Structure formats: structure tokens, C-alpha cells
Amino acid sequence: VAMAATRSVMRAVRVFEFGGPEVLKFQSDVLVPVPKENQVLIKVHACGVNPVETYIRSGTYARKPALPYIPGSDVAGVIESVGEHVTAFKKGDRVFTLETVSGGYAEYAVAAANRVFPLPDKLDFRQGAAIGVPYFTAYRALFQKGCAKAGESVLVHGASGGVGLAACQIARACGLKVLGTAGTEEGMNVILRNGAHQAFNHRDPNYTERIKACTGPGGVDIIIEMLSNVNLDADLQLLSCAGRVMVVGCRGRIEINPRDTMSKESSIIGVSLFLATEEERHECATAVLDGIEAGWLKPVVGLEYPLEKVAKAHEDIICSSGARGKMVLLL
């Protein structure tokens, strides 16, 4: 009897139960997934780490994957094989993804072909792993949900992380006045090198007064907010008339006075990339690829970890004193 061809195995990180970083299990004998129709198999060189992946892993997030699962969505690598009906890619193509089907914290990942994009030679794989979620989220927050226009001002709160730096670069390229906050001197310098006109240290007890002095009585038109459970109340004081806070990140509850929105007819708008339509994703992709082509979209890679150290990465992304670019796992 002919034996079925044995499928090869790979290194990957799997989650068997929800909980702290310790539930991330590194394994070296996980079966390599097989792409179905309209899917591709990617040999992963780097994978981005996003705060949302820590929320999903802890079991506290609205979306709960079926256990066990492999986390990770932003991978960059090379096409290994393609499923039926895939014409846009072939073996050997350099690509990055917005999401994966099988999970990105692995040596190989399957992704839907329409969530995969060509990675230009001018960017390396580490940078490729820093594009997907951060840049698509920043573009969605600024334009699809925030209706940003050239000439308006934007305050990026927590601007030295992946989404924050993406927002600074995009906003600057699109003609907005860009203000950013960070928690360290180094973080502030990174922001200024990546599109912000001015940087503020959010650990300075008077930083909101400094922002007010900078924006004048008019206030700021848009705030991109990564930590709304800490900053939302103060954000409402900084807004202009008809200003809007885009809630990109949140780790808990906060008390606000809704009257603060009435006095300026301001808005608090939630942002979720998962809810983007096919058309909206296509619009984000076009803007991102144009930005790479034009040269202003340059992902900043921060801390790098080997796949085995993924638990440390999950700890650091939540507890570190200040981000300096996008955190990535290297394979």
C-alpha cells in the first residue's frame, strides 16, 4: 500500500488556553498548513507583535479564536506555494500580510490571497512585518473614520509605537499638522524623525498645558488615542470645535463627563480594522503601497525577538516604559 506523503513540520507558537504570556507554547513539531483555493503559503521571515494579540491571548477580547490557535497576523516573507485560482502571486515573491488564516507566529503561514501584498525591495522583511495592522489601522483612523483633511491638526497619543509612527508618517504626508506624545526622550526623538512637527512627553505632569499652548485656543482637530482608558477625559479638553477622538487602543474603563462633548460638539469614535469592508481595505492598501513607492512610508522596527522568546515580547509590549517602533519576531 502506498504511504501518503508525510507532511513536513515547523516551529510555531500555539495557545491551548487563554491566560498570561506563559500560555504561549513554543513547539517544533507543528504540521505545516496547506493553502486552499484563493490562499497562499508564506515562508515567514518576520512577524509583527500587536497589543491586540495580547488581549486575544488573555481571553478578555471580544474576538475569541477556537483553541488551540497560533497568534499573529502581520507576517513578511516569501511565497512558498499558492492554492487554486491564485494568479496574483507565485513561489518566490516577497510579500507582507494584513492577516493570516493559520497564524503568523510560525515558520509558515497560510493567508487569503486578497490579504497579501507585494513587499517592495526597498523594505526588508522586518519592516514588512511592521506594515499591515499599524498602517492600515492608522489610515482607517485618520481618514475612513476621522475624516482628516489637509490643514487640520492631529495629536497622536502614544506616537512612538507601531500605529503611532504610522499615523505620524501618513498625517504628515497628507498635509496635517502633527503633534505626538511619547514616554521617553528617545521616543520623542523617534516621533520627530517620523513626521511629527512637535513632540511632548506624556510623563510630564504639565504636558497637556504645553499642547494647549501649542495649538492655541482653537484646540486640536483629531486625537489618535492608543490608551483611552488613561487619556480620554483629558483628550476631551484638548479638542477643537467638532474635534474627534479616535479610540484605537484601550485597556479598561474610564470616567468622563459627556458634557465635555456637548460644549464643542465633539465626537468619540471607535476604530476597528476587523470591521473594515473589502472596499475600505483596498483603499488602505492603495494608500500604503503608494506611500512605500513615494518613499515617505518607512516602518520603524523597534525591539526584535526570536520566536522562542515570544512570551517576553508579549510581556514587554504591555509593560515596557516606552515604545520605539514596531515590535517584531524574527524567524
Side-chain angles (χ1 to χ4, degrees):
V1 181
M3 292 289 288
T6 53
R7 272 172 63 193
S8 51
V9 295
M10 63 177 182
R11 296 179 303 136
V13 171
R14 297 170 84 197
V15 174
F16 293 87
E17 58 177 326
F18 296 113
E22 70 281 355
V23 302
L24 295 160
K25 302 296 182 198
F26 176 76
Q27 301 183 309
S28 51
D29 57 353
V30 180
L31 283 178
V32 173
V34 176
K36 301 189 172 92
E37 61 177 355
N38 300 315
Q39 294 180 340
V40 298
L41 179 67
I42 299 164
K43 180 165 186 7
V44 178
H45 286 254
C47 180
V49 179
N50 296 293
V52 69
E53 286 145 27
T54 70
Y55 311 152
I56 293 170
R57 181 215 70 227
S58 71
T60 59
Y61 197 64
R63 286 166 61 253
K64 274 200 185 74
L67 296 168
Y69 76 97
I70 298 174
S73 55
D74 297 340
V75 309
V78 175
I79 297 282
E80 179 73 17
S81 62
V82 300
E84 279 186 90
H85 312 311
V86 174
T87 53
F89 300 102
K90 62 184 185 312
K91 184 176 166 67
D93 287 350
R94 287 164 44 96
V95 294
F96 71 92
T97 68
L98 179 58
E99 57 190 66
T100 66
V101 175
S102 62
Y105 294 8
E107 281 182 285
Y108 291 90
V110 164
N114 65 355
R115 302 285 193 280
V116 177
F117 308 95
L119 179 64
D121 289 335
K122 61 170 86 167
L123 299 182
D124 62 28
F125 291 119
R126 294 153 51 252
Q127 291 173 302
I131 301 172
V133 169
Y135 282 87
F136 282 60
T137 299
Y139 183 86
R140 181 169 180 75
L142 283 163
F143 298 105
Q144 294 177 340
K145 295 292 163 189
C147 304
K149 293 180 182 57
E152 286 192 313
S153 57
V154 59
L155 169 65
V156 183
H157 235 320
S160 61
V163 179
L165 288 168
C168 288
Q169 290 178 2
I170 294 171
R172 180 67 179 249
C174 295
L176 282 91
K177 180 182 180 183
V178 186
L179 314 177
T181 75
T184 64
E185 197 64 40
E186 197 182 347
M188 288 165 67
N189 290 332
V190 171
I191 296 171
L192 291 168
R193 286 199 300 272
N194 284 280
H197 293 88
Q198 281 186 276
F200 303 87
N201 189 330
H202 56 65
R203 294 182 198 282
D204 170 357
N206 299 318
Y207 85 96
T208 52
E209 296 310 313
R210 292 175 197 266
I211 292 172
K212 282 178 183 164
C214 176
T215 59
V220 66
D221 298 306
I222 302 170
I223 297 177
I224 307 292
E225 183 52 75
M226 313 302 166
L227 200 58
S228 47
N229 53 299
V230 172
N231 300 320
L232 188 58
D233 187 48
D235 288 343
L236 295 177
Q237 320 301 321
L238 295 172
L239 286 178
S240 64
C241 273
R244 47 262 186 226
V245 180
M246 312 310 300
V247 178
V248 172
C250 183
R251 296 181 190 170
R253 303 174 73 85
I254 185 172
E255 189 171 310
I256 63 165
N257 184 347
R259 182 173 288 151
D260 292 337
T261 66
M262 294 161 63
S263 56
K264 298 173 182 170
E265 291 196 325
S266 50
S267 313
I268 300 166
I269 302 168
V271 180
S272 172
L273 188 56
F274 298 118
L275 297 178
T277 64
E278 198 58 56
E279 292 75 21
E280 286 172 331
R281 264 193 304 270
H282 182 71
E283 183 193 339
C284 289
T286 303
V288 164
L289 293 169
D290 285 352
I292 297 172
E293 186 61 36
W296 57 256
L297 194 158
K298 284 204 184 75
V300 179
V301 176
L303 295 170
E304 301 172 6
Y305 300 78
L307 192 59
E308 305 83 88
K309 296 272 192 285
V310 64
K312 179 87 175 96
H314 268 226
E315 212 167 290
D316 290 352
I317 200 166
I318 295 301
C319 304
S320 75
S321 60
R324 297 175 306 282
K326 173 73 178 178
M327 186 181 281
V328 296
L329 300 173
L330 299 179
L331 286 102

